[in-house]
Amino acid sequence: DMQIENAVSQGKALFLHNTFDGNGKVCESCHREAGTTPGRLPNGKAIPSLTNAAAIFPRFNAKNHKVILLEDQVRNCVAGALQGKPPAYGSEQLTSLVSYITSLSQGKPMDMGGKPR
């Protein structure tokens, strides 16, 4: 579907280039190779790729003591790691980012609350 392809490509562009008015970092600063390979946090801690990210949400966030959706995680990353202004719920930006990240999980089995790979 052309609309979904457009959302995915817009999301990838945001992932690669948008700082969300933060500290100058972009999603790819931590999530390397557009999220397709393991990455690193600014403190050097290794993090898994995003290749099954959409398949493991919803998941329990121990820090916030609640179940969160992929949208919540994306907004947490923008606010935390990028120190930026998270895209609003329901916004085209958030929809595009989530569409791109979800595309990386295409064909992966659902494993709600499972481990990132």
Side-chain angles (χ1 to χ4, degrees), residues 1-41:
D1 179 282
M2 200 60 188
Q3 299 298 336
I4 292 175
E5 285 177 35
N6 286 343
V8 168
S9 72
Q10 285 173 10
K12 184 173 186 178
L14 290 170
F15 191 94
L16 296 174
H17 306 297
N18 198 318
T19 62
F20 301 94
D21 299 322
N23 56 17
K25 288 186 170 68
V26 297
C27 301
E28 195 183 45
S29 300
C30 296
H31 299 288
R32 308 277 168 82
E33 303 287 324
T36 62
T37 63
R40 291 213 173 270
L41 295 179

Side-chain angles (χ1 to χ4, degrees), residues 34-74:
T36 62
T37 63
R40 291 213 173 270
L41 295 179
N43 66 9
K45 181 177 187 276
I47 54 173
S49 78
L50 297 176
T51 57
N52 76 330
I56 61 174
F57 280 87
R59 59 191 296 110
F60 181 71
N61 180 310
K63 195 166 74 174
N64 297 332
H65 305 292
K66 64 181 186 179
V67 172
I68 65 168
L69 304 174
L70 183 56
E71 287 87 341
D72 303 313
Q73 183 61 47
V74 168

Side-chain angles (χ1 to χ4, degrees), residues 75-87:
R75 295 182 84 251
N76 290 344
C77 267
V78 170
L82 305 187
Q83 297 172 333
K85 186 174 184 287

Side-chain angles (χ1 to χ4, degrees), residues 85-96:
K85 186 174 184 287
Y89 285 107
S91 68
E92 188 178 340
Q93 273 194 334
L94 188 58
T95 298
S96 295

